[in-house]
Amino acid sequence: MELSHILDDLNDSQRQAVSAPPSNLLVLAGAGSGKTRVLVHRIAWLIQHEDYHPNSILSVTFTNKAAAEMKHRIEDLMHTSTGGMWVGTFHSIANRLLRRHWKEAGIAQDFRIIDSDDQLRLIKRVYTELEIDEGKWPYKQAQWFINGQKDEGRRAGHIQAPELDLYLRNMQRIYQAYENACERGGILDFAELLLRAHELWLNNPDLLHHYQQRFRHILVDEFQDTNTIQYAWLRVLSGDQVPMTIVGDDDQSIYGWRGAKIENIQKFKQDFKDPTMIKLEQNYRSTKRILDSANQLIAHNPDRLGKTLWTDGELGDPISLYAAYNEHDEARFIVDRIEEWASSGNSRIDAAILYRSNAQSRVLEEALVRASVPYRIYGGHRFYDRLEIKNALAYLRLLSNRDDDAAMDRVINTPTRGIGGKTLDMLRQHANEQNVSLWAAAKELLGSNSLTGRARTTLGGFFDLIQQLDSDTSDCDLFEQVDHIIQASGLLEHHAKEKGEAGEARVENLKELVNAAKQFETGTMPLSALQDQDADLELSPLSQFLDQAALDAGDLQADESHDYVRLMTLHSAKGLEFPLVFLSGMEEGIFPSRMSNEEPDRLHEERRLAYVGITRAMKKLYVSYAEVRRLYGSETYNKVSRFVRELPQEHLEELRPKAVLSMPVSTKPTLISSKSNIEIPDTGIRLGQRVRHKLFGEGVVLNYEGSGDQARVQINFENEGSKWLVVGYAKLEVL
Ligand code: ATP
Ligand code: MG
């Protein structure tokens, strides 16, 4: 068979990796060196050269979208279908196994996956049941504890809490009660999917053996971000019988905060039989300047495995640095650059705006909307995270499984239907006492005499509504079912009543959900890698759709035919590449995040995240920060991020379109500004003027609001950075 096309577009080391004998292989290499490409080609090689059946290959990717992309690329290479090949995230693969083997896993056949919001709700209910004080033990702490334990493979019963360790004892109690509640409701959270999948192997040797026969090779991308339970799951499955190819980059490990272990790369070398190690050193993605900058930045981290990365590509443009006055100015700057880019014949789809945390997207989105620039938020669970979508899905989940307490909890009074707090308390208490689901408790209460007239009417109304929705839609297509439910439940009207654009957007999103259901049914949804092609499962379309919604890491609205800019967090940018990249919000306290300041390990992880960000850029990189930023409701004055200062100055170009007002990167203000004629009304102070403050010393006036004594001025102090002061109190001495 002609195989050259599989090896043609590869360099020597890549070719060596792709065509290595099918035994354990570790490819350790920096960003953009072709790791993912090697995986894709190796799969094609195994199928075409080693005659592996696509069914016998298991490939683990980091997002569902990446899985779909991988299948697509393999099919392109081989010109045939990859039907039957297992490609997916750890979570989707675990889900697939558990759907097939729910009996062996000891879980409900129609189990539901809950996200972290619903998990938190459930934890709150557990607190009520146990009468634990939230003030002492915050809910989030318990959530973090539970997920952390699961990621390490520990159940509540495994934890040995010493008599005196109050924290651990309480957490264990909560964890135990939470486990019971999940069991009762047939609910699995994300961490549970992995833990159950691991236990499935441990408790069912025959089943494990079956899969060890079935799979002949396992491939894992982004191995540096596997956590303990994922590693353990792979290790048991592989069990010295199924060889593995793993690719990773220790410098791109960015999920330590969620339990990922960089050490797993090293462990692989010890735990797996005679692994071959291949390094890739040539970067094909970025210009020389971008690559050098990334290399220099990451060199500030200790304890690296150490890799060289070079490119024979062009030097490229300098990295442009923009110091914005505030977040709006930053957003405007970015939007202007994108429009420039688009108007000179480039596609917006080639541009990505990256930021550290989700909350930063709002201002950027507003600027894009104002300038009528189409955009999409990529990754995360954005679409399915929206309130209205979660409400709609909760109705659907309740229809699919009446014992889904989290769903019931969410919709019982959404839209409000007058079920009082007392009735709800009674319902919850009854469910706890009888150890039944909320739905069953409602049924029992309605059948007894314990409810008052009003409670009976309102609760009964809800009960009937759900039954009615179910019978109304039992013969419908999935999308008709979704359409009917959002209307008949009153949800659409409820959200439409919300004021202004928020309400409109919610209605649009709900309609988009109907659309999504339609695409899902016709298989045109871009994320169908998950769907079982050799399935012996009989899941209803609704259940499958709900699974997809729960697991989906992509953005449903993505429609490749449009030319839109992509916005995403740095975490979701992993593995991707774009010709034009904006790294926004490069400020101390934002990135690196405030929390990482005191902990070296976290700071190093933030630096790896910056490395990931920079290495997404192929041709042009903009880096920006704001002198003042309003985020989470309060205004902060941040210094430029240390990560900007760690970039090689020779590749950096500062942009100051309005030099008068901008703060230079160095802490020393420039004086070109004193030429400014802009007077701050009734103060005798001009923008750009040098002033002295008793406490903060000397600085330059950058910006102002208001007039006279009430005016607030922003001053960039030489030693203190930038601050906003009220003129009447600041007693500034004009120099
Ligand atoms: P990351 O660490 O960001 O996940 P990676 O190591 O997985 O990166 P790829 O995404 O596989 O790298 O490749 C980076 C880019 O380089 C892609 O556009 C890919 O097509 C291109 N590339 C990789 N190898 C070659 C090659 N031998 N010839 C030409 N282009 C290549
Ligand atoms: Mg990759």
Side-chain angles (χ1 to χ4, degrees), residues 508-523:
E508 275 171 16
N509 287 335
L510 284 171
K511 293 191 173 150
E512 182 62 31
L513 185 67
V514 178
N515 200 17
K518 203 179 217 160
Q519 290 184 346
F520 183 80
E521 263 179 324
T522 55

Side-chain angles (χ1 to χ4, degrees), residues 496-566:
K497 272 193 286 196
E498 286 179 58
K499 281 200 203 85
E501 279 180 32
E504 271 168 44
R506 292 202 200 279
V507 170
E508 275 171 16
N509 287 335
L510 284 171
K511 293 191 173 150
E512 182 62 31
L513 185 67
V514 178
N515 200 17
K518 203 179 217 160
Q519 290 184 346
F520 183 80
E521 263 179 324
T522 55
T524 50
M525 194 167 187
L527 308 154
S528 47
L530 245 178
Q531 274 155 292
D532 237 322
Q533 297 186 359
D534 55 351
D536 41 34
L537 304 165
E538 286 188 18
L539 279 183
S540 70
L542 175 60
S543 301
Q544 290 186 36
F545 181 62
L546 289 170
D547 273 4
Q548 180 95 328
L551 289 167
D552 171 26
D555 184 38
L556 255 188
Q557 300 173 69
D559 168 0
E560 303 293 327
S561 66
H562 281 92
D563 192 24
Y564 52 81
V565 180
R566 271 169 292 189

Side-chain angles (χ1 to χ4, degrees), residues 453-505:
R454 187 179 148 71
R456 174 176 296 281
T457 319
T458 50
L459 189 61
F462 175 72
F463 195 83
D464 294 343
L465 171 73
I466 299 296
Q467 302 288 57
Q468 185 67 41
L469 289 177
D470 200 3
S471 67
D472 284 352
T473 57
S474 56
D475 296 326
C476 292
D477 282 340
L478 176 63
F479 81 94
E480 289 169 336
Q481 189 175 16
V482 177
D483 196 22
H484 179 74
I485 282 160
I486 59 177
Q487 303 201 34
S489 65
L491 202 58
L492 201 66
E493 196 188 342
H494 166 73
H495 286 302
K497 272 193 286 196
E498 286 179 58
K499 281 200 203 85
E501 279 180 32
E504 271 168 44

